[in-house]
Amino acid sequence: MDIKILVSTHKPYIMPKDVSLYLPIQVGYDEVSEHFGYQGDNIGDNISYKHRYYSDLSAVYWGWKNLNVEYMGSCHYRRYFVSKKPKYNDDKFFRYILNRKELEKLLTKCPVIVAKKRHYYIETIEEHFKHTHESSDFDLLRTVIAEISPEYLKAFENVAKSTSAHLFNTFIMRKDYVNSFCSFMFPILFEVEKRVDFSGRTEFESRTCGYLAEFLLDTWIIKNKIDYQEVELRVLDGENKFRKAVAMIRSKMLGEKYDKSF
């Protein structure tokens, strides 16, 4: 299978050795003066110059528009899809990430892979976003969907009321599914971007299009009745789940915003 998984990064970091499968891509390439020898997201049809609003989606857009592959995936320099069994080789840091053989076996069964759902339990997806981000952005997303993709509105409302979602803009899909998903997602986000006043926003608050996009994956899946399989997404260098839980509770009880990417 012709598979390429984009590993988006904004800084130099240890990368998988199988470059035929994993492609490191430096996001926001046009916004910085320091480059690390990775593929830039600024070649061909791209939104590298909008990275500050779209975060890792500038890599997804680049891959969608410029990669001629059978399957395309998106993960992060710290977050990867992993298997339960380690591979015993000299690449110890990446011993759990999916290799080509594992991926081909999975994709033969189902052409869409997403991360296991993250559960919030104490609040809905909409409530969680509004407690941690600019609340009007979620309402704006709903408005834009109703205006330009009204056939997706019911599915979006189902996502908004849920207490779990497939997050982090990570996936591996056959390219025709990527085309379908991105053709739905990006026009909506571009319209949201047009209507948001970014002046005076912090760097975290400016990445709203990237955060809002996380809810469009499930919206697309529900509306189109997409068959998918869930695979564990793991932060390879560790994740402070206690810190995240405390931050989430504080955001709900005290209205404090927090960057959930930590």
Side-chain angles (χ1 to χ4, degrees), residues 3-255:
I3 310 170
K4 193 68 71 175
I5 301 175
L6 305 177
V7 184
S8 58
T9 184
H10 62 281
K11 64 181 182 180
Y13 205 76
I14 182 174
M15 292 291 174
K17 292 183 178 180
D18 186 357
V19 294
S20 70
L21 181 61
Y22 290 95
L23 176 63
I25 179 166
Q26 184 175 347
V27 291
Y29 200 89
D30 282 340
E31 296 182 322
V32 297
S33 58
E34 185 180 4
H35 301 137
F36 316 124
Y38 305 142
Q39 169 68 53
D41 65 349
N42 65 329
I43 304 299
D45 190 350
N46 71 88
I47 56 170
S48 178
Y49 59 100
K50 294 184 177 184
H51 168 69
R52 66 176 69 91
Y53 310 133
Y54 290 87
S55 193
D56 300 306
L57 288 182
S58 63
V60 173
Y61 185 92
W62 178 87
W64 170 41
K65 291 294 187 178
N66 297 286
L67 282 183
N68 182 21
V69 293
E70 187 180 2
Y71 292 87
M72 190 188 101
S74 171
C75 64
H76 311 151
Y77 70 99
R78 296 173 63 234
R79 288 189 179 94
Y80 290 84
F81 289 103
V82 298
S83 58
K84 295 180 181 179
K85 295 182 179 180
K87 275 70 70 176
Y88 293 99
N89 51 42
D90 60 349
D91 205 359
K92 294 182 180 180
F93 187 75
F94 296 105
R95 68 177 62 176
Y96 283 96
I97 70 170
L98 295 178
N99 60 25
R100 181 174 295 278
K101 182 178 180 180
E102 291 169 324
L103 270 171
E104 290 184 351
K105 183 177 180 180
L106 287 168
L107 292 170
T108 298
K109 295 178 180 179
C110 181
V112 175
I113 294 173
V114 294
K116 288 185 177 180
K117 281 188 173 183
R118 171 155 289 196
H119 299 271
Y120 288 105
Y121 302 107
I122 63 174
E123 58 188 357
T124 66
I125 293 300
E126 180 173 4
E127 289 169 340
H128 178 70
F129 183 92
K130 289 185 173 181
H131 288 145
T132 55
H133 300 268
E134 176 57 52
S135 62
S136 62
D137 290 350
F138 197 93
D139 296 326
L140 175 58
L141 177 63
R142 175 183 281 118
T143 298
V144 170
I145 292 174
E147 290 179 3
I148 70 176
S149 295
E151 69 275 17
Y152 281 91
L153 186 59
K154 182 178 179 180
F156 173 76
E157 294 296 355
N158 287 340
V159 174
K161 295 174 183 177
S162 176
T163 56
S164 62
H166 301 106
L167 300 179
F168 303 115
N169 296 322
T170 52
F171 60 82
I172 304 171
M173 304 180 193
R174 202 171 64 208
K175 192 67 185 296
D176 57 326
Y177 285 95
V178 175
N179 292 337
S180 172
F181 174 49
C182 290
S183 295
F184 155 68
M185 174 175 65
F186 280 107
I188 289 172
L189 297 178
F190 290 158
E191 187 59 33
V192 168
E193 178 200 342
K194 290 178 184 177
R195 303 187 192 186
V196 172
D197 181 5
F198 289 98
S199 62
R201 288 200 174 198
T202 65
E203 180 182 351
F204 168 68
E205 293 168 336
S206 293
R207 297 198 298 267
T208 190
C209 289
Y211 287 121
L212 289 172
E214 294 184 283
F215 315 124
L216 296 182
L217 176 58
D218 280 343
T219 300
W220 171 77
I221 286 174
I222 293 171
K223 166 62 176 65
N224 295 293
K225 298 179 173 61
I226 302 296
D227 290 328
Y228 65 86
Q229 52 189 322
E230 293 183 341
V231 173
E232 181 184 353
L233 189 73
R234 184 180 301 174
V235 178
L236 297 188
D237 57 2
E239 182 178 24
N240 193 327
K241 293 183 179 181
F242 177 77
R243 180 185 173 196
K244 280 181 175 287
V246 170
M248 188 175 76
I249 293 171
R250 290 180 66 88
S251 71
K252 182 175 178 63
M253 304 302 295
L254 304 177

